[in-house]
Amino acid sequence: QVQLVESGGGSVQPGGSLRLSCTVSGSTFSIEDMGWYRESAGNQRQLVASITSSGFTNYADSTKGRFTISRDNAKRMIYLQMNNLKPEDTAVYFCCAQIRAHIWKTPHGYWGQGTQVSVSS
């Protein structure tokens, strides 16, 4: 019943900004680690940024200093603020979350459907 839905993707010129959002719905006893991954043509899905329940963040080297991941536990959402976008940032961005759906269940990874980000002149 748990579902993740991304939004906020689109087309932007180099140097522009976008903010991606991911909303978690369904039964969630607890939401633990969350993150953003991306897939570009010919490449495997790779980590963009992650954030733990305590707020510790990790970024891919290519995005460090330009992207910021954050979360709103009350709203069950995570965000990815992307600044100074580059053509190489073009990809489908996926939200992921490690979620304990019920108190008696172990955490399980969930993925959203993805949202397209295109950066070009």
Side-chain angles (χ1 to χ4, degrees), residues 41-61:
N43 295 317
Q44 294 183 331
R45 188 173 300 183
Q46 59 183 236
L47 174 70
V48 176
S50 63
I51 184 168
T52 68
S53 59
S54 63
F56 179 83
T57 59
N58 184 50
Y59 297 90
D61 289 340

Side-chain angles (χ1 to χ4, degrees), residues 77-94:
M77 297 183 68
I78 62 168
Y79 309 92
L80 183 67
Q81 179 65 48
M82 303 184 293
N83 297 325
N84 192 25
L85 284 162
K86 302 176 180 180
E88 51 263 43
D89 294 319
T90 296
V92 177
Y93 285 70
F94 296 87

Side-chain angles (χ1 to χ4, degrees), residues 30 99 107 117:
S30 65
I99 297 173
V117 171

Side-chain angles (χ1 to χ4, degrees), residues 16-55:
S17 299
L18 287 172
R19 191 183 79 151
L20 306 183
S21 299
C22 174
T23 301
V24 179
S25 62
S27 180
T28 57
F29 175 77
S30 65
I31 303 175
E32 300 177 11
D33 294 354
M34 306 182 76
W36 291 93
Y37 289 73
R38 66 186 180 187
E39 289 183 9
S40 59
N43 295 317
Q44 294 183 331
R45 188 173 300 183
Q46 59 183 236
L47 174 70
V48 176
S50 63
I51 184 168
T52 68
S53 59
S54 63

